[in-house]
Amino acid sequence: MARFTDKSVIVTGAAQGIGAVYAQALAAEGARVVVADIDGERGAEVAKQITADGGTAVFHTADVADPESGAAVAEFTVKEFGGIDHLVNNAAIYGSMKLDLLLTVPWDYYKTFMGVNLDGALNMTRAVWQHMSAGGGGSIVNQSSNAAWLYSGFYGVAKAGINSLTQQLAHELGGSNIRVNAIAPGPTDTEATRTKVPGSIVDLMVQQMAIKRLGTPEDLVGACLYLLSDDAKWVTGQVLTVDGGQVFRP
């Protein structure tokens, strides 16, 4: 399939894990991908590998918590590829996340965390939407989590915020022919999860699932490509849960 031939896509947090897999899958379907990440070494390597595999990708550094950095990524993409068609807001603090309570987490850390995990998606959307509109529209996918419906402290607060942001932006941008949706993964087997979550907790989570295994980044690709593509041209403001049946929700 080549649903994204000649389409330009920015994927934030694409230097590793789920973001890297999204970038690779989009390039495999013809997209011209900007690998955007604060980790320059890993990000450049992902772009290099995509190119070696026959795709089109370039790296640009991005601190999604900084509006000026987001604007720079957008301007670079327009200069490099002539426009912006799609955005995947995947960047987040997770593997290095502090484990603390909402009641006790240091305030400066909380603000930094939210600046990336919640405000970052808004910063990037604000940076790209006019470019998308000028090109006739586009689509955005935000990375949420089923943690939005489970006890998970400030991480869950950020993801619940992503869900609401998705719905609000879908209405604000619908008139510009820009769709905004989100994916809410369950526990996924990434380096970050292996670093952050003890094995005993992982085992407990797996037992709560209908499909009793951790997800993989590849399990999420189909949802991401669907929501970005014209296959979902009348789908906006939705949060698609991909979690092996861990949570039930309306």
Side-chain angles (χ1 to χ4, degrees):
M1 297 179 68
R3 288 174 286 182
F4 300 96
T5 299
D6 295 329
K7 301 295 186 181
S8 61
V9 187
I10 300 169
V11 182
T12 69
Q16 59 185 317
I18 295 168
V21 172
Y22 285 163
Q24 291 158 356
L26 284 159
E29 286 209 20
R32 300 170 297 187
V33 179
V34 174
V35 175
D37 204 289
I38 202 166
D39 186 335
E41 184 176 351
R42 283 188 171 187
E45 187 59 36
V46 169
K48 180 180 178 181
Q49 186 60 55
I50 289 172
T51 302
D53 291 339
T56 300
V58 291
F59 171 76
H60 197 283
T61 187
D63 176 0
V64 299
D66 178 3
E68 292 184 3
S69 180
V73 175
E75 290 164 9
F76 170 81
T77 305
V78 171
K79 184 177 294 186
E80 191 77 12
F81 295 139
I84 302 171
D85 299 294
H86 307 290
L87 167 67
V88 180
N89 281 314
N90 173 74
I93 297 170
Y94 175 55
S96 61
M97 178 176 61
K98 290 182 182 292
L99 297 179
D100 208 333
L101 303 175
L102 277 163
L103 295 173
T104 55
V105 62
W107 188 249
D108 287 348
Y109 178 79
Y110 174 83
K111 296 296 286 183
T112 297
F113 182 89
M114 289 297 180
V116 174
N117 287 42
L118 177 55
D119 299 340
L122 180 56
N123 283 334
M124 289 302 304
T125 300
R126 287 165 62 115
V128 306
W129 79 269
Q130 288 176 307
H131 298 293
M132 281 188 179
S133 181
S139 58
I140 297 170
V141 166
N142 297 323
Q143 191 81 327
S144 180
S145 169
N146 71 358
W149 302 288
L150 299 168
Y151 171 67
S152 50
F154 48 87
Y155 183 76
V157 171
K159 293 307 185 181
I162 286 289
N163 292 348
S164 183
L165 184 71
T166 297
Q167 295 165 337
Q168 303 304 319
L169 286 173
H171 280 267
E172 292 193 10
L173 293 174
S176 298
N177 195 35
I178 298 170
R179 299 182 297 101
V180 188
N181 293 290
I183 300 170
T188 305
D189 188 12
T190 62
E191 179 183 343
T193 297
R194 291 189 292 271
T195 299
K196 185 54 56 179
V197 185
S200 59
I201 301 299
V202 169
D203 292 342
L204 179 61
M205 290 190 296
V206 167
Q207 290 308 308
Q208 295 170 342
M209 298 177 190
I211 300 174
K212 299 194 181 302
R213 65 169 175 84
L214 289 181
T216 68
E218 289 74 16
D219 287 323
L220 307 174
V221 164
C224 182
L225 299 189
Y226 164 69
L227 290 173
L228 287 175
S229 76
D230 285 343
D231 291 341
K233 62 185 177 182
W234 206 46
V235 178
T236 196
Q238 304 305 306
V239 180
L240 177 56
T241 306
V242 185
D243 73 346
Q246 185 182 25
V247 300
F248 296 159
R249 64 183 184 87

